[in-house]
Amino acid sequence: MTTAPAPAGPAPAPPAPESRRNLAKIRREDVLRAVGAASAAVAATAWLYTQVLPGRGALAFGLTAYALFLVFFMVLISLDEGRIAIQDRMAGVVIHSAAIVLLAALVVVVVFTLARGSEAFKHLNFWTDDMSLAGPLDPLTLGGMAHGAVGTLMMIAFALAISIPLGLACAIFLAEFPSPFARVVRTVVEAMTALPSIICGLFIYATYVLTFGLDKSAFAASLAITIMILPIIVRSADVVLRLVPATLKEASLAVGASRWRTVTRVVLPTARSGLVTAIVLGTARGIGETSPVLLTAGYTTYFNFNPFSGPMVSLPFATFTLVKSSEPSQVARGFGAAAVLMVMVFGLFWVARRLGGGGAGVLSPRGERRARAASARDARRFASRSAALAASRPGYGPAQGRVPAPEFQAGAR
Amino acid sequence: MRYGSYGAGIMVLAIMTAVGLFLAIRGAQAIRVAGGDFLTEQAWEPNSGRFGIAAVLFGTVMIAVIAIAVALPLALGTATYISEYAPTGIKPFLVGVVDLMAAIPSVVYGLWGMYWLEGNLLPVAEWISTHFGWIPIFRVSRFDPQDPLATPTVFTASAFLAGLVVAMMVAPIACSVMREVFAQAPVGEREGALALGASKWGMIRSVVYPFGRGGIIGGAMLGLGRALGETIAVYLVISPVFVINWEILSTGTNSVSSLIALHYGEASNFELSGLMAAGLVLFAVTMAVNFGAGIIIQRSRSGASS
């Protein structure tokens, strides 16, 4: 903990943990070889495609060029290096290209969705209207997806209202009160993280809708989402809570705090950022999942503000329904909804990274400033108290001129 | 307090067991009628009593296997890159990007597969089947490479396409498990290998990969578990068939979760139990895979918690 007071007197410094040195470096020859091999590969593929093999498609071109690039690169290295260096450089190139392919695929997915979606979401009515007035043949200047956004927010709000208290309480039970029964619960929760999301929907559909005869509604959908995200939240919150140092809990119990006070005043604040991350990541999963909603919410083109009756649509479900249409404007609306959904998930993700950067007990810069200010206040209070004591009782208190040095204040590192 | 959290534990346990038991009881009804045929019958006509999950389960496993075959090298390469090759400055950024990729909704991947990848994949599939058609799984019997008028539409909506889309979804999940394990490989052993004259790749191969073996296998299996249960992205790109189709490049495949998504709406009460039984089998498979992954990760030397 950074807020613990620094030990008085010069303690022997603990050996610093070994840190990894970064050995990544770029050699000039390798860059030259790679550029040479790449240009040769592109040229050779272009020649092959126009003269020898009439191939088709950009992806096939890229694959051929890449294979040729590997061959040329190997030949270039083998001109001046031995077998071990060839293996090393080839492995480096293959690993770099795997990373580039994965990141490029991500960029393509994001940019493609945003680009196709921008057709729809650049119109203001997309953000404010529902689809009640817009038929499938109407242009994009009519109708919008606001009802989907309302539905998404309402469903996730209900799902979180159930799963946050239940999930956190269950995680506290697992982490703070270990018992054979807790182990059973933990095993079952871990098993349920494997539950395919469509089965959550199927379960609610078969019980809530068919057996109890209630409407398909936003509440049914949020129950399905709850079943899906509850194990995720419990599991990651449990992991975070178990990371809270045992010394902190023992210190709290040793000064006479009850179990309950230890949990609320020590464990939860210490693990706060991790718990928030667990919840936000569960939310991101729940917001983006279509299949539980598909079975339980019912499709509609109208605003519906009543979560307990009548169908209500969410953004991923609307996307799913609209893109199956053969009408270009409907497809564009579907892409628009997907783009908005994706931006929502990115926003949540960004929040999670901001809140939960560190592990248990690691403070954000602002939290650190706050802790430092609090301990400075304490230090001033102690100083004024002992000064008052010294004034009232001569011979008591610190020697003249000894005021708490700033670096003594807790929180400074 | 104590009782409150006990209560929450009991309640979560109750909900989870209720879901499991409900599935098992309703599913058992259908399995009793179908008997042993449930695992071997390919057709899905529950109302005439002829139904089984052979075709859908085969399709599910096939798509997941293709996905893992593609995702494993990508994830391994990316994890190695982030942990070993990337400049220190951009490492946190890359970690964030990969985690972000894992959070993208599946319907977005489905859209991408349906509208972008399918068109771009046709020539590749055609090329593979023309030149590697002698390998049985790449053969497409309805496509004759000698025929200049042969249509490439036999390559649409294939298991290969679905597998690629799912691969993009599971690669980040596998990658983040692997990266965490690689980062824990002991510095002393790394530098020892380098000091003995190993090249960088030699060091990775002899220190990092053996150390992280549990993480590699466990990460791949976690990805496999996710791939088996994926619904929407698969549903959007496949065209469902109820036969076992070994030709991964040709049109037509199926998966358990898209079967449920496709049929729940007009299902009779009995067909619904059939769907539950199918879901139960899928759940059992994913659970086995996930538990296997957990055990492998825990038993490995790195012992990373996932």
Side-chain angles (χ1 to χ4, degrees):
Chain A
M1 273 297 272
T2 45
T3 48
E18 277 184 292
S19 65
R20 262 177 70 193
R21 277 167 282 176
N22 192 2
L23 302 171
K25 68 162 185 264
I26 299 169
R27 298 177 201 80
R28 199 179 42 151
E29 306 89 63
D30 281 349
V31 175
L32 290 176
R33 281 180 195 134
V35 170
S39 39
V42 170
T45 320
W47 176 75
L48 274 176
Y49 263 52
T50 48
Q51 307 292 327
V52 185
L53 304 163
R56 272 167 285 178
L59 206 53
F61 185 94
L63 286 178
T64 322
Y66 182 66
L68 283 175
F69 165 73
L70 286 183
V71 174
F72 290 151
F73 190 64
M74 189 153 77
V75 171
L76 280 181
I77 306 169
S78 64
L79 291 182
D80 13 58
E81 309 262 10
R83 192 176 54 86
I84 291 178
I86 294 178
Q87 278 179 359
D88 180 43
R89 305 294 191 280
M90 292 304 285
V93 164
V94 171
I95 285 168
H96 274 82
S97 35
I100 290 170
V101 167
L102 199 62
L103 298 180
L106 173 73
V107 171
V108 168
V109 170
V110 173
V111 170
F112 178 72
T113 313
L114 289 178
R116 288 287 301 263
S118 67
E119 223 177 292
F121 69 63
K122 70 185 173 200
H123 300 290
L124 186 65
N125 54 314
F126 181 83
W127 301 91
T128 54
D129 289 357
D130 64 1
M131 292 285 291
S132 52
L133 295 174
L137 294 172
D138 280 321
L140 291 169
T141 47
L142 206 63
M145 276 293 133
H147 61 304
V150 169
T152 301
L153 293 178
M154 213 177 262
M155 286 173 199
I156 200 71
F158 272 96
L160 289 178
I162 304 172
S163 55
I164 289 179
L166 199 55
L168 287 190
C170 180
I172 290 172
F173 167 66
L174 294 183
E176 297 301 314
F177 304 105
S179 64
F181 177 60
R183 267 203 298 283
V184 174
V185 175
R186 182 176 288 137
T187 314
V188 171
V189 165
E190 268 179 29
M192 292 314 269
T193 52
L195 189 70
S197 55
I198 185 109
I199 295 180
C200 308
L202 190 64
F203 171 72
I204 293 294
Y205 178 71
T207 52
Y208 187 90
V209 179
L210 292 185
T211 311
F212 300 145
L214 296 162
D215 266 355
K216 281 188 173 185
S217 64
F219 186 65
S222 49
L223 287 181
I225 296 177
T226 305
I227 293 181
M228 192 189 92
I229 63 176
L230 192 57
I232 300 176
I233 290 182
V234 171
R235 193 167 175 216
S236 39
D238 177 35
V239 170
V240 173
L241 286 177
R242 276 193 284 171
L243 287 178
V244 174
T247 46
L248 283 181
K249 287 186 244 175
E250 282 161 14
S252 164
L253 293 173
V255 295
S258 66
R259 259 334 233 293
W260 168 235
R261 255 184 118 64
T262 306
V263 169
T264 50
R265 304 302 293 270
V266 176
V267 176
L268 289 181
T270 312
R272 196 188 58 206
S273 69
L275 292 177
V276 171
T277 315
I279 291 167
V280 173
L281 292 182
T283 313
R285 256 316 271 291
I287 260 190
E289 199 61 68
T290 320
S291 30
V293 181
L294 170 71
L295 272 64
T296 49
Y299 186 72
T300 175
T301 54
Y302 292 86
F303 274 118
N304 175 7
F305 294 102
N306 182 356
F308 294 102
S309 86
M312 187 187 288
V313 75
S314 76
L315 284 174
F317 183 29
T319 307
F320 175 74
T321 314
L322 289 173
V323 295
K324 288 191 298 180
S325 147
S326 53
E327 206 54 51
S329 63
Q330 292 289 74
V331 174
R333 287 188 183 108
F335 269 99
V340 173
L341 174 69
M342 201 166 68
V343 171
M344 263 163 105
V345 171
F346 285 4
L348 275 177
F349 203 79
W350 182 77
V351 169
R353 303 271 308 174
R354 283 298 299 275
L355 291 174
V362 178
L363 297 176
S364 64
R366 189 194 283 172
E368 214 162 82
R369 265 201 305 280
R370 213 181 298 132
R372 211 173 287 154
S375 55
R377 240 186 348 263
D378 285 346
R380 266 198 308 277
R381 192 160 55 84
F382 293 159
S384 65
R385 222 175 92 150
S386 54
L389 275 173
S392 65
R393 267 194 279 165
Y396 175 85
Q400 282 284 307
R402 260 185 68 197
V403 286
E407 66 268 17
F408 193 78
Q409 289 164 11
R413 281 193 293 181
Chain B
M1 155 68 192
R2 179 157 203 158
Y3 297 110
S5 75
Y6 248 105
I10 291 169
M11 199 158 163
V12 169
L13 183 69
I15 294 176
M16 296 302 151
T17 342
V19 176
L21 278 182
F22 185 81
L23 272 180
I25 291 170
R26 288 295 305 272
Q29 191 187 344
I31 294 180
R32 247 200 320 277
V33 171
D37 287 349
F38 190 67
L39 290 175
T40 54
E41 175 64 50
Q42 297 184 19
W44 186 263
E45 292 151 12
N47 295 326
S48 65
R50 236 180 109 239
F51 66 104
I53 54 166
V56 283
L57 197 60
F58 173 85
T60 310
V61 173
M62 190 52 130
I63 292 172
V65 166
I66 295 170
I68 278 303
V70 175
L72 182 61
L74 278 183
L76 187 60
T78 310
T80 316
Y81 175 76
I82 294 177
S83 142
E84 309 297 322
Y85 286 86
T88 326
I90 64 165
K91 239 179 230 187
F93 170 73
L94 288 176
V95 172
V97 166
V98 170
D99 288 349
L100 189 68
M101 204 170 163
I104 292 183
S106 55
V107 69
V108 173
Y109 283 105
L111 286 187
W112 174 74
M114 197 174 167
Y115 284 92
W116 189 88
L117 189 62
E118 183 154 32
N120 284 292
L121 200 64
L122 279 189
V124 180
E126 190 178 337
W127 184 79
I128 295 177
S129 121
T130 309
H131 296 279
F132 297 95
W134 46 272
I135 303 174
I137 57 165
F138 292 139
R139 205 168 61 90
V140 176
S141 48
R142 281 181 293 157
F143 179 75
D144 176 15
Q146 305 304 325
D147 178 6
L149 295 176
T151 159
T153 49
V154 295
F155 299 110
T156 54
S158 60
F160 183 53
L161 173 66
L164 283 187
V165 172
V166 177
M168 283 304 134
M169 302 180 52
V170 300
I173 298 168
C175 177
S176 53
V177 175
M178 293 179 194
R179 176 184 53 75
E180 269 170 31
V181 178
F182 291 168
Q184 292 168 1
V187 179
E189 289 179 30
R190 286 167 191 274
E191 302 210 335
L194 292 174
L196 288 172
S199 63
K200 186 162 193 164
W201 169 241
M203 183 273 283
I204 293 173
R205 213 182 41 182
S206 58
V207 175
V208 179
Y209 284 171
F211 179 84
R213 197 187 297 129
I216 297 175
I217 300 173
M221 284 177 73
L222 271 187
L224 186 67
R226 188 79 192 273
L228 285 168
E230 180 45 44
T231 313
I232 291 302
V234 173
Y235 184 100
L236 280 175
V237 299
I238 64 169
S239 68
V241 292
F242 287 97
V243 286
I244 289 182
N245 181 3
W246 277 100
E247 299 173 353
I248 60 167
L249 294 175
S250 81
T251 308
T253 179
N254 216 333
S255 81
V256 174
S257 38
S258 15
L259 170 83
I260 298 174
L262 194 65
H263 283 270
Y264 82 95
E266 57 270 16
S268 63
N269 206 3
F270 179 70
E271 180 168 8
L272 211 59
S273 349
L275 293 177
M276 299 241 174
L280 189 66
V281 173
L282 176 65
F283 178 35
V285 174
T286 12
M287 199 164 72
V289 168
N290 271 17
F291 270 127
I295 290 171
I296 290 177
I297 295 178
Q298 265 168 23
R299 284 226 183 127
S300 67
R301 208 181 127 205
S302 41
S305 59
S306 61

